[in-house]
Amino acid sequence: MQTTTEKIATIKENGYDIDFSRVFENAFENYKKIALISGIAILLFTLFILFVAFGLIAVFVGFSAISENIESINPENFSGVTILIYVLIVGLVAGLASPFTAGIFKMAHCADSGTEFSLGTVFDYYSSPYFNQLFIATSLIALISTGITSLFESFGIRFLGVILTYTISFFTFLVIPLIIFGNLKVAEAIKGSFIIVSKQFFILLGLLIVAVIMAMLGLIGFCIGIFFTIPFIYSMYYAIYKDSIGFDDEVEVQINS
């Protein structure tokens, strides 16, 4: 049986086939199984992050100072040092959040394979050997993306920075699955994600656009619904990974252990 690295090499050489309707159907069926628990997890995690963020603001800056200078909180007004600190903070937060995202992928895999999972599943990778790889890969991508956006914003051309950031995010959306399911290192996972995405660019772009639209339906009515529709995006990521790379027996044992 081919390893993930060998599969990616084959894809690089010969490409691969992916069916839009099949992947969408698999993503939707998987989403129905994880929507409630993963939605609760995302809601609680978001509230925790906001609580910590506002707590740090209160301690180091003060809410009054923020409210008085809210208009100045714009990368166009940042100094070089401030931009650097901002980029580093975003990279750190992204890195620390990556094991949580990996946990949602694990939850999706458990649901797909009929294995029991719980709310605690989303935190499994914080104590996993994969933590370092997840942290480094996600922090690196966030640093590059945020750095590019901040740089262009500082020159008053925010639109171009946003486009480049979304492009990087699109080409690297399979990095976390490649690390936890494919057992790849940071450089291999990033390179592998670029290869897989580039070989079916338009189909994958269409699938992710549909996934985002589906997720945005959560904003209809009570906006809190977004927390329970966002998991559809991760379910789509999972379905794409499954259809393009798949899993071997060794990975199954690692995930379910």
Side-chain angles (χ1 to χ4, degrees), residues 7-16 195-196 199 244-245:
K7 291 176 183 178
I8 291 173
T10 300
I11 288 174
K12 182 179 181 180
E13 185 71 23
N14 305 315
Y16 65 100
I195 291 172
I196 295 168
K199 290 299 182 178
S244 59
I245 295 293

Side-chain angles (χ1 to χ4, degrees), residues 21-35:
S21 60
R22 180 180 65 241
V23 173
F24 177 83
E25 182 179 351
N26 289 339
F28 187 70
E29 289 301 316
N30 187 268
Y31 163 73
K32 290 190 293 184
K33 299 174 184 177
I34 69 170

Side-chain angles (χ1 to χ4, degrees), residues 39 42 212 214-220 222-231:
I42 292 172
V212 171
M214 293 285 288
M216 290 302 103
L217 294 177
L219 293 173
I220 298 176
F222 297 104
C223 291
I224 196 173
I226 190 69
F227 293 104
F228 297 92
T229 52
I230 282 179

Side-chain angles (χ1 to χ4, degrees), residues 87-159:
V87 171
L88 290 175
I89 290 175
V90 171
L92 177 63
V93 172
L96 292 175
S98 60
F100 178 85
T101 302
I104 295 179
F105 285 125
K106 179 177 181 178
M107 186 181 291
H109 184 72
C110 290
D112 185 48
S113 60
T115 305
E116 185 178 351
F117 62 91
S118 65
L119 188 63
T121 301
V122 295
F123 301 106
D124 283 354
Y125 287 100
Y126 282 98
S127 58
S128 164
Y130 292 110
F131 177 85
N132 289 340
Q133 298 301 316
L134 291 169
F135 180 85
I136 294 171
T138 311
S139 294
L140 179 61
I141 294 169
L143 286 171
I144 294 173
S145 299
T146 309
I148 289 174
T149 302
S150 299
L151 179 63
F152 280 101
E153 285 186 352
S154 67
F155 289 109
I157 44 179
R158 182 173 183 271
F159 177 76

